[in-house]
Amino acid sequence: MSEFDAKLEDNLLELRNDLLCGHYQHGGYQSFFVQDTKKRMISAPSVRDHIVHQAIYNILYKFYDKLFCFASFSCRNNRGLHLALNSIQRYLWQFKNRDCWVLHGDIKKCFDSINHYILKQIISERINCVKTICILDKIINSYSINTFGCGIPLGNLTSQLFINIYLNRLDEYVKERLKIKRYIRYADDFYCFCDTKKDCSQIAEDIRNFLKQELSLDFPLDHQQIRHSYSGVPALGQIFFPRYSKTNPRTFKRMMYKFDLRLVDYYNQEISAVSLNSSFQSFKGALKRGENYNYKRGMLNKTLLPFSSNLLQ
């Protein structure tokens, strides 16, 4: 960042000229690993390339967002995780007096499996500007996990847009061809709410075939779950029941692990009380959704900090 910043105006003018003249070439990525629910490789572009990604995203997002299915929630303005969670709870509530079976599907290695050729074909159906297509091709071609042209990088701003453009085909298939009224997709996770377990199984098979034939994506049986609503439906960090939800124990365990690390930093005087309180309030806010009194009490017992007494209010 400092090197680009040192001659910011010159670098921006040079980038602008390269884009206008068609001389722009995408650079490589700086990769590193993060540990969340599992180990993930993040690939960050250079500052120069990130500026191009941001500009492309700013223009194309507004265009594509109007075309996306209402059932898609990830990486969209005025949608997002909280609205997805509210929708799941609302659908389950609609089944409160009768059986409800929920299909949860998780596309295997979705980002690494995005086919470049198919993605470019989908984009070319809506974008006619030759210069824009040329830049998008260079961004797509800048990353691949194999010689067959597959994969978009985690940590790349345009990947958020590409994944929704690609999987919008799935959304359209489920809503328009399969006629599923209660359906939600968040990134590469999707949920269908049905009257019978048999319906869920048939929908799963239909989706599996569509993903394989049309999008070259894998949805294996071990990435499929079918559960009755009264047994609890794990979804997006929560466990849902027809009339209430609570934080998934695994999610709470990860939260407490991270909070313990923050406490250690505080006691070692590596962070201030203000910084620790910010983390505390963040975790407190996450526990506001659902019936989490016992979790709140467990978190309260972890610390004797003055602000902890506000947790149960």
Side-chain angles (χ1 to χ4, degrees), residues 263-299:
L263 279 173
V264 171
D265 289 341
Y266 173 73
Y267 292 133
N268 290 335
Q269 298 184 345
E270 295 178 7
I271 62 173
S272 66
V274 173
S275 179
L276 179 60
N277 187 38
S278 296
S279 299
F280 184 85
Q281 297 301 329
S282 175
F283 292 129
K284 173 185 172 182
L287 292 175
K288 283 185 177 180
R289 171 177 291 275
E291 305 294 327
N292 291 315
Y293 183 86
N294 290 335
Y295 288 156
K296 292 177 183 179
R297 175 62 65 181
M299 190 173 181

Side-chain angles (χ1 to χ4, degrees), residues 203-224:
I203 291 168
E205 191 61 30
D206 291 339
I207 290 176
R208 183 174 295 107
N209 292 332
F210 173 82
L211 289 172
K212 189 68 175 178
Q213 296 170 10
E214 301 296 327
L215 297 177
S216 193
L217 295 175
D218 191 17
F219 172 36
L221 288 172
D222 60 348
H223 283 237
Q224 166 187 318

Side-chain angles (χ1 to χ4, degrees), residues 108-148:
K108 183 178 180 181
K109 295 183 177 179
C110 185
F111 278 77
D112 284 346
S113 302
I114 297 298
N115 184 284
H116 289 184
Y117 175 78
I118 297 175
L119 176 59
K120 292 173 185 178
Q121 287 293 109
I122 295 174
I123 290 174
S124 66
E125 292 175 4
R126 296 285 184 175
I127 305 297
N128 299 317
C129 175
V130 175
K131 287 186 177 181
T132 302
I133 289 292
C134 182
I135 295 171
L136 290 172
D137 284 351
K138 289 176 180 178
I139 294 174
I140 294 169
N141 293 337
S142 68
Y143 180 90
S144 180
I145 65 165
N146 56 37
T147 58
F148 303 108

